[in-house]
Amino acid sequence: YAPGTPVAPVAAVTPVRPGLDAGRYWAGVAATAVVAALVAVVGVVVLQEILDVDLVVQDVFGTGSEMAALVVGAVLIALVAGALLQLLVVTTPKPQAFFGWIMGLGTLVLALLPLTWTDVATSAVATGVVHLLVGIAVWSLLTGVLSRTRRVVPAR
C-alpha cells in the first residue's frame, strides 16, 4: 500500500445464522423413521423367522412382540436423532461432526447392550446386528436429509 493509492471499499457483511427448511427436513426425518422401522422388520424376518435365531428384546413399550418392540424403538430413535440434529444445527459450530460422534457412540452402545441381557451369544449378537443396522440407516439418512435441507438465513 502506497500513500495516495485508492482503496476499494469493503462491502458490508450481513450476519447469518444456520437454519433448515423445516418442512422438508421433518418430511425427511419421517421417511427416515419409516426406513428404520423397515430395517427392524427385515432384521426380525431374516434372523428370527428364516434363520430361527431367537432375538433378545427388552419390550419397554409393552408391545408384546419382538418385532413391534424393535419397530417402535427404531421409529423413536429416528425421531429423537432428527430432533437432536436440528438442535445441533442451530446451536453448535460443527453440527455434523457432533452428530456423527453421538450417533456412532450411541449406535455402538445399542449394538452392545443385548450382550448384557442374555448369556446366549447368538441371540445377543443377532439383536445387536439389528440395532447396528437401524443406527447406521438413521445416521446416514439424516446426514443426507440435512445436506439437502440446510440453508443460511440472515441473523435478526
Side-chain angles (χ1 to χ4, degrees):
Y1 171 76
T5 306
V7 177
V10 176
V13 176
T14 304
V16 295
R17 62 182 172 83
L20 292 172
D21 178 349
R24 289 182 62 225
Y25 176 78
W26 280 100
V29 172
T32 298
V34 170
V35 171
L38 290 172
V39 168
V41 168
V42 168
V44 171
V45 169
V46 169
L47 294 169
Q48 194 161 286
E49 303 301 325
I50 296 173
L51 298 177
D52 201 30
V53 175
D54 289 329
L55 298 178
V56 55
V57 176
Q58 300 291 320
D59 190 7
V60 296
F61 310 111
T63 63
S65 81
E66 289 87 0
M67 185 180 297
L70 286 168
V71 165
V72 170
V75 168
L76 288 176
I77 289 294
L79 295 176
V80 168
L84 171 66
L85 183 54
Q86 183 176 14
L87 177 68
L88 291 172
V89 165
V90 299
T91 61
T92 62
K94 302 246 330 167
Q96 284 179 292
F98 288 108
F99 185 71
W101 274 98
I102 292 167
M103 283 300 297
L105 293 170
T107 299
L108 180 61
V109 168
L110 289 176
L112 295 174
L113 208 51
L115 294 168
T116 67
W117 297 338
T118 183
D119 292 332
V120 181
T122 305
S123 295
V125 170
T127 306
V129 166
V130 175
H131 290 177
L132 180 66
L133 293 175
V134 167
I136 290 170
V138 170
W139 183 1
S140 64
L141 289 171
L142 287 180
T143 301
V145 166
L146 177 64
S147 71
R148 303 290 287 174
T149 59
R150 195 170 188 184
R151 61 187 177 145
V152 177
V153 293
R156 295 179 191 173

